[in-house]
Amino acid sequence: MKIVFAASEIAPFAKTGGLADMVGSLCQEIQSLGHEVAAFLPRYKSVEIQKWGLAAAIEELQVPIGSERLSGKLWQASRGGVRFYFLDQPEFFMREHFYGTALGDYPDNDRRFIFFQRGVLEALKGLNFKPDVIHVHDWQTGLIPVYLKTIYSGDSFFQKIR
């Protein structure tokens, strides 16, 4: 079975709490059971290209947000048999913190994570990687199932993804 995990944090790459540990461990455990696993997360400022040995997977990924299309880049790395993909969009993710500062959440978190969620789906199509299941985690990825049943429902590429 091909399984995609989408999360805003995955250990060891990006971590603020338990979500990152849980998703990182779950990816490895599911892979060890013989499934093909790919995981997607934003490429935050702390996810350094050299440190993690990232390689370009898609040089320019066009992601629709409302009536506009924003460009991003997709990076990849492999660890323990799991392929990790990092969606790079400097305006959204090259910040000191993942979600906000001590003063509160970033005011554009909705836009940032809509970009991420639509970016995951656009990247799957760009990579021609059709999973059987997309496993989403927390509010930052919660719209992916909604998008599959609405915006992407007429696209044959996504028809059998659960």
Side-chain angles (χ1 to χ4, degrees), residues 106-154:
Y106 292 127
D108 64 345
N109 272 347
D110 56 346
R111 192 163 164 79
R112 295 171 70 223
F113 289 102
I114 287 171
F115 175 85
F116 174 62
Q117 293 169 92
R118 294 286 306 266
V120 168
L121 295 173
E122 295 296 325
L124 288 172
K125 197 167 183 178
L127 294 165
N128 196 31
F129 182 76
K130 193 181 292 192
D132 299 296
V133 174
I134 300 176
H135 200 285
V136 300
H137 299 273
D138 221 331
W139 67 266
Q140 299 92 342
T141 59
L143 289 175
I144 289 176
V146 174
Y147 292 152
L148 286 171
K149 291 197 177 286
T150 57
I151 296 169
Y152 293 89
S153 67

Side-chain angles (χ1 to χ4, degrees), residues 40-54:
F40 287 79
L41 69 156
R43 188 176 90 77
Y44 299 110
K45 186 177 184 178
S46 61
V47 181
E48 299 169 12
I49 294 167
Q50 300 296 332
K51 177 180 177 181
W52 296 106
L54 305 185

Side-chain angles (χ1 to χ4, degrees), residues 43-83:
R43 188 176 90 77
Y44 299 110
K45 186 177 184 178
S46 61
V47 181
E48 299 169 12
I49 294 167
Q50 300 296 332
K51 177 180 177 181
W52 296 106
L54 305 185
I58 299 177
E59 285 291 337
E60 186 175 348
L61 181 68
Q62 292 294 312
V63 179
I65 304 239
S67 62
E68 57 186 321
R69 294 182 79 73
L70 300 176
S71 290
K73 182 173 183 173
L74 191 68
W75 296 90
Q76 66 182 353
S78 195
R79 186 176 179 98
V82 175
R83 283 179 291 153

Side-chain angles (χ1 to χ4, degrees), residues 1-5 30 34-38 40 83 121 124 128-136 144 148 157-162:
M1 186 177 250
K2 294 180 180 178
I3 301 169
V4 163
F5 288 85
I30 296 295
H35 300 288
E36 186 176 350
V37 176
F40 287 79
R83 283 179 291 153
L121 295 173
L124 288 172
N128 196 31
F129 182 76
K130 193 181 292 192
D132 299 296
V133 174
I134 300 176
H135 200 285
V136 300
I144 289 176
L148 286 171
F157 182 84
F158 297 100
Q159 289 300 306
K160 295 185 179 181
I161 298 175
R162 302 292 170 243

